[in-house]
Amino acid sequence: MPIFNILLVLIIVGVLLWLVNTFIPMDGKIKKIFNVVVVILVIVWLLKVFGLLNSLVGMHV
């Protein structure tokens, strides 16, 4: 996946997260949980895009 597409997806996710946080009224605890879930999903997606997720899953301690 080209770096431009990755940056575009990150910008879109960031703007959508900002819009939700700004314009949708919700409790602070729910907002914090929502933000953490979105960040975790983006990190997992980035690991998958760069091929690091498969190597981490296959690693045995």
Side-chain angles (χ1 to χ4, degrees):
M1 178 175 270
I3 193 76
F4 177 75
N5 290 348
I6 294 171
L7 288 175
L8 187 63
V9 169
L10 289 175
I11 290 170
I12 290 171
V13 168
V15 168
L16 289 175
L17 190 60
W18 174 76
L19 287 171
V20 167
N21 285 330
T22 303
F23 295 112
I24 296 179
M26 61 179 116
D27 188 42
K29 292 178 185 178
I30 296 172
K31 190 179 288 191
K32 190 178 290 187
I33 292 170
F34 178 73
N35 288 339
V36 168
V37 168
V38 170
V39 168
I40 289 172
L41 289 175
V42 167
I43 290 172
V44 169
W45 176 75
L46 283 172
L47 288 172
K48 198 173 185 181
V49 166
F50 287 114
L52 298 174
L53 188 63
N54 293 334
S55 62
L56 289 177
V57 171
M59 195 181 314
H60 296 286
V61 178

